[in-house]
Amino acid sequence: MPDPQMPRFLRIKGGPQDPETLRRVLRAAGFEVHEPALDEEREARVAPAEPPAARVGPGAGASGVSPSPAGIGPAGEALLAVHADSPPPVVRATRDQLQALLDNTTAVIYMKDLLGRYMFINHQFEVLFHVTREQAIGHTDYDYFPKEMSDAFRANDRKVLEARAPLEMEELAPHTDGAHTYISLKFPLCDASGAPYAVAGISTDITERKRLEKELRGKNLDLEQHGRQIREANRLKSEFLANMSHELRTPLNAIIGFVQLMVDGHVPSGSKEHGEFMSYVLTSARHLLQLINDVLDLSKVEAGKMEFRPETVQPADVVREVRDILRPAATKKWIEVDTSVDAAVGAVLVDASKLRQVLYNYLSNALKFTPENGRVSIRVRPEGVDAYRLEVEDTGIGVRPEDLGKLFVEFQQLDTGAAKKQQGTGLGLALTKRIVEAMGGTVGVRSRPERGSVFFALLPRTMAQARPGGEDAPPGLPVVVPRIGARSILIIEDDAEDRALLVQVLAEAGYSVQAASSGAEALARCNEKPFDAITLDLALPDMAGWEVLRAIRKEGPNRDTPAIVVTLVAERGVAAAFPVQDVLPKPVAPDDLLAALSRAGIPPDGTRTVLVVEDEPKALKLIEVTLSRLGYRPVGCPDAETGLEAAEREHPAIVILDLVLPGMSGFEFLRHFRARPVGRHTPVIVWTTKDLTAEEHAQLRPLAQVVVSKGQGGISPLVAELESCMLAFRAPEPGGASDRP
């Protein structure tokens, strides 16, 4: 219903001389124009239009057009000029309402004539592009925007005029932080005859939406990639499980089969066949253990839990050892294995067992994929000043370029016929890569199909690993971990070979040894703690041996410590000025040195009793049999409580302890054991299957000397550590534990 206050008739007195201009102005202003017969007294009946909304396109009708945003520009002013008096209230109200509507939208709204001149802009246009309505009207895009953008605007306007229909498009417009993207809806404004006379547009800034869309597309791509990786990981997992199932069942079936034959009595004990079967069982068991260790080692390296023990190593020794281990595999296929170790490499500081493992993996792979009568070469050569290169070259099947990326990746095996014929879980090279990288090196491969491959490891000459005391292990200096309370000897010797000999002789005799290569270092050690005896070379690089001895005798905890002079001039007269126990000539004979210590009242006391705390009956039996065969007296206990009682009763020289025990744990046993006089200085070897955390390692460090994993290859590693401890540590006589630090 029309507003009752709205005038329904507008009488025009003396209108414009051009009636057609008046009609266009009125239509552009948003009024519907009716033309009755010409009569001076007739009234032009002008009805208000519908609520403001542009009627576009050629279907506007011959009787007029509906209101559009054009009614607020010059056309509206022309309409008001037609009325001789002030504009009617309805016109003012409609204009103000429409202006408020257009100025309070976040969209940019504008209208241009056919020449591209602005007829109207809203307030958002003014704010974003820093131009007022008065400045814009009558001007084109080229007056306010860069030419490239203006060309694009003009081209889009022409498309709309040619189509005579609304079109939607993306356009770039300048902004303070760079070009922004707008989605523009442009449409033609047409007169009663359907002819376009202007282009109107509504543009919305979608820059943020575009950014979010791009970000979303990126995330979708990431999700797709992640999904592909998950699917690939699942595929590899399935392949790995299938391979591992086969690899585990093969040795297990051999073990079960051969043992069953022997248990059933089909193979007489002591027969040649019995020995062969036992050899098969042992080989299969070792293969099975190696598979399990590969998986566990890989997980340890990934978790950063694998321990490394750097020591001075001659690469030639490692090469020779690994070559000899795999010689049977090479002989079986008539493969020639040659080695070349450049003398310029010299000694390196590295974990010897890990270096052997790296070379073993490379060499066993080379032998596996090299055909009969082939050739495999092992080379070690310098790589710059601080590194060396270990290479294994074969004349095998080689690797295709597209398959190189699958090497050194967990669980992956090459999809070639030859690869599928070979045993393996796909862990060997992956584990090799992890170990080498953990030691500060890198791995790589060069290969040509049907010609062979070269696998290499680039390693630092000095492994970047600190000793427990925080000092870097000096190359060539034998390190013996001292046992608290053991007979301790300080060796003061600057010659590396002589120093190594003395350390070895005394350690094997059961003493705890520390070494100093200069007078200053010797005095520092003597001020730190008392020693049971000191061996002293008189020719030191920084000061005379007599000056060192004078300083030791003057003050400190070693004023009365027996000293044995080891010198090229073995005459007692040279020692008359100072109290020394003995003077020995160089090169010193081991028996003479030990005899001198014995004369000084420092014999390597000890006993052969070993306390074993282990709850697993088979493991306990295995240890007892092994220790008895080696000449020790084992005392086995199935739990911590009986172990503590046996310790008080037996006064063992050393303790072998499992951490996982019923009732009281191994950690609690250690705390109670160390609190008692009998356990205050007795060395402890932890032998366990438990994967220790960093916190547990920290707990064990002050309580135990060595930690040995049960998965390191049977009982041999335990025996080796036992022998080492028995050489380095000797327990005091029962009831006579020393209180010396």
Side-chain angles (χ1 to χ4, degrees):
M1 295 290 294
D3 190 328
Q5 297 183 356
M6 185 178 294
R8 302 182 63 189
F9 296 94
L10 178 63
R11 184 177 300 278
I12 300 175
K13 297 181 179 180
Q17 296 181 357
D18 184 358
E20 182 59 30
T21 300
L22 174 60
R23 287 194 293 272
R24 288 190 177 182
V25 169
L26 289 174
R27 289 188 180 114
F31 288 90
E32 216 173 274
V33 180
H34 299 273
E35 298 181 82
L38 294 176
D39 188 284
E40 184 175 329
E41 296 296 327
R42 287 180 188 159
E43 296 177 338
R45 184 184 180 90
V46 180
E50 296 178 358
R55 183 91 177 272
V56 301
S63 61
V65 297
S66 299
S68 70
I72 308 302
E77 297 298 328
L79 170 65
L80 297 178
V82 172
H83 202 285
D85 304 317
S86 62
V90 64
V91 175
R92 290 199 306 272
T94 302
R95 182 186 64 186
D96 293 344
Q97 290 170 3
L98 186 57
Q99 186 71 56
L101 176 66
L102 299 179
D103 282 345
N104 286 281
T105 180
T106 58
V108 176
I109 302 177
Y110 47 88
M111 185 173 69
K112 308 175 192 176
D113 63 19
L114 299 182
L115 297 178
R117 296 172 298 194
Y118 281 99
M119 302 170 65
F120 166 78
I121 61 172
N122 72 339
H123 180 66
Q124 186 72 353
F125 191 108
E126 295 179 301
V127 171
L128 292 179
F129 304 125
H130 309 290
V131 57
T132 66
R133 186 171 296 137
E134 290 75 14
Q135 292 171 334
I137 301 304
H139 292 272
T140 68
D141 294 317
Y142 292 93
D143 295 318
Y144 303 106
F145 299 108
K147 183 178 184 305
E148 297 79 7
M149 293 182 179
S150 299
D151 289 342
F153 295 155
R154 188 60 180 153
N156 289 335
D157 293 346
R158 290 196 183 100
K159 291 178 183 178
V160 172
L161 293 173
E162 291 172 1
R164 297 197 177 187
L167 296 179
E168 190 174 78
M169 60 203 66
E170 287 188 7
E171 296 180 311
L172 293 178
H175 198 271
T176 54
D177 60 354
H180 276 210
T181 304
Y182 288 78
I183 184 73
S184 297
L185 175 63
K186 293 188 175 184
F187 48 89
L189 296 177
C190 302
D191 59 18
S193 65
Y197 62 87
V199 173
I202 304 174
S203 300
T204 303
D205 191 338
I206 60 169
T207 304
E208 181 63 15
R209 190 182 83 185
K210 297 282 286 186
R211 186 189 67 79
L212 293 175
E213 288 176 351
K214 182 179 180 180
E215 184 177 318
L216 182 60
R217 285 194 299 271
K219 289 182 177 180
N220 287 337
L221 290 175
D222 291 342
L223 287 174
E224 291 177 7
Q225 177 67 16
H226 187 57
R228 286 193 294 269
Q229 291 174 349
I230 291 176
R231 290 191 293 272
E232 179 66 10
N234 286 333
R235 184 186 69 80
L236 294 176
K237 180 192 70 174
S238 298
E239 288 184 3
F240 168 71
L241 291 176
N243 289 335
M244 182 59 76
S245 175
H246 171 75
E247 294 293 329
L248 292 176
R249 287 176 179 175
T250 299
L252 277 175
N253 287 336
I255 293 171
I256 293 171
F258 288 124
V259 171
Q260 188 67 50
L261 288 173
M262 291 182 286
V263 170
D264 292 344
H266 298 303
V267 181
S269 178
S271 66
K272 180 180 178 181
E273 197 175 35
H274 183 274
E276 291 178 356
F277 285 5
M278 289 301 297
S279 176
Y280 295 150
V281 169
L282 182 59
T283 302
S284 297
R286 286 174 175 167
H287 178 61
L288 186 60
L289 180 62
Q290 183 62 47
L291 293 175
I292 296 172
N293 282 341
D294 281 350
V295 176
L296 296 179
D297 285 348
L298 183 62
S299 64
K300 285 181 180 179
V301 175
E302 289 179 339
K305 294 182 178 180
M306 177 169 280
E307 294 184 352
F308 294 86
R309 299 180 181 179
E311 59 182 299
T312 302
V313 175
Q314 291 290 341
D317 296 338
V318 175
V319 170
R320 183 169 52 253
E321 181 181 348
V322 174
R323 181 200 61 191
D324 292 345
I325 291 173
L326 290 172
R327 190 185 297 276
T331 303
K332 186 177 179 180
K333 297 175 69 175
W334 297 286
I335 295 175
E336 181 182 353
V337 178
D338 59 73
T339 63
S340 172
V341 180
D342 194 325
V345 174
V348 297
L349 188 67
V350 69
D351 187 313
S353 65
K354 301 302 187 294
L355 182 61
R356 279 193 294 269
Q357 187 172 0
V358 169
L359 180 56
Y360 182 92
N361 287 343
Y362 276 167
L363 184 55
S364 60
N365 261 9
L367 296 174
K368 182 189 299 184
F369 294 102
T370 299
E372 294 182 353
N373 299 306
R375 184 186 184 90
V376 173
S377 300
I378 305 172
R379 293 186 292 270
V380 181
R381 55 185 176 83
E383 187 78 14
V385 178
D386 301 321
Y388 64 99
R389 178 184 291 264
L390 170 66
E391 291 185 342
V392 176
E393 183 176 6
D394 62 63
T395 57
I397 60 176
V399 183
R400 296 177 300 177
E402 59 268 27
D403 288 331
L404 289 175
K406 298 178 182 179
L407 299 172
F408 301 105
V409 179
E410 292 86 345
F411 313 127
Q412 288 213 20
Q413 292 180 298
L414 302 186
D415 294 328
T416 62
K420 291 184 179 179
K421 295 176 182 178
Q422 305 296 336
Q423 292 182 340
T425 60
L427 293 179
L429 289 179
L431 180 58
T432 298
K433 178 177 183 289
R434 298 280 186 159
I435 291 175
V436 170
E437 290 177 346
M439 293 194 296
T442 57
V443 299
V445 59
R446 305 188 305 273
S447 185
R448 289 188 296 174
E450 307 304 328
R451 298 292 297 274
S453 305
V454 179
F455 286 83
F456 65 86
L458 188 62
L459 290 161
R461 291 176 183 263
T462 301
M463 181 178 171
Q465 175 101 354
R467 287 169 52 196
E471 301 175 355
D472 292 337
L477 178 61
V479 178
V480 178
V481 181
R483 171 182 177 265
I484 298 176
R487 303 288 189 175
S488 59
I489 310 295
L490 174 63
I491 297 173
I492 307 174
E493 173 62 64
D494 67 317
D495 185 271
E497 293 184 3
D498 290 344
R499 186 171 63 243
L501 173 63
L502 294 173
V503 169
Q504 181 179 357
V505 169
L506 294 177
E508 290 179 353
Y511 294 99
S512 177
V513 186
Q514 291 191 34
S517 60
S518 66
E521 184 182 359
L523 292 177
R525 292 185 182 276
C526 285
N527 289 329
E528 290 174 357
K529 58 168 288 185
F531 292 93
D532 292 293
I534 297 173
T535 72
L536 172 66
D537 182 15
L538 295 181
L540 297 174
D542 57 341
M543 56 195 305
W546 299 122
E547 295 177 7
V548 175
L549 190 56
R550 181 186 295 112
I552 293 174
R553 295 298 188 218
K554 184 178 180 181
E555 60 182 357
N558 290 284
R559 292 181 60 183
D560 302 318
T561 299
I564 299 174
V565 174
V566 180
T567 179
L568 290 173
V569 183
E571 296 182 7
R572 289 191 172 273
V574 300
F578 298 96
V580 297
Q581 182 65 35
D582 236 317
V583 179
L584 300 178
K586 280 188 176 183
V588 66
D591 291 342
D592 293 343
L593 178 59
L594 296 178
L597 288 172
S598 182
R599 290 192 294 270
I602 316 295
D605 302 325
T607 178
R608 303 287 285 181
T609 300
V610 179
L611 174 63
V612 183
V613 185
E614 169 64 67
D615 67 317
E616 215 291 311
K618 294 179 182 178
L620 182 58
K621 182 67 174 177
L622 176 62
I623 297 176
E624 290 177 339
V625 171
T626 303
L627 293 179
S628 297
R629 181 174 57 83
L630 294 173
Y632 295 98
R633 186 173 73 88
V635 177
C637 298
D639 55 61
E641 290 82 359
T642 57
L644 291 172
E645 295 173 1
E648 293 286 356
R649 183 177 66 252
E650 301 290 343
H651 292 270
I654 198 166
V655 176
I656 297 174
L657 172 69
D658 187 9
L659 293 178
V660 182
L661 298 169
M664 184 187 298
S665 71
F667 289 99
E668 294 176 272
F669 171 88
L670 279 172
R671 283 190 285 269
H672 287 285
F673 183 62
R674 290 304 189 202
R676 303 183 181 193
V678 68
R680 189 172 301 153
H681 307 302
T682 303
V684 175
I685 298 176
V686 172
W687 192 46
T688 183
T689 58
K690 179 177 175 60
D691 283 332
L692 300 177
T693 64
E695 182 180 356
E696 289 171 333
H697 271 291
Q699 293 178 31
L700 287 175
R701 194 168 293 119
L703 301 175
Q705 276 65 40
V706 182
V707 177
V708 180
S709 171
K710 288 184 178 179
Q712 287 186 352
I715 201 171
S716 298
L718 174 64
V719 172
E721 292 293 350
L722 174 66
E723 292 288 331
S724 177
C725 284
M726 291 298 288
L727 288 174
F729 310 133
R730 284 294 186 266
E733 295 291 346
S738 171
D739 290 331
R740 263 190 165 182

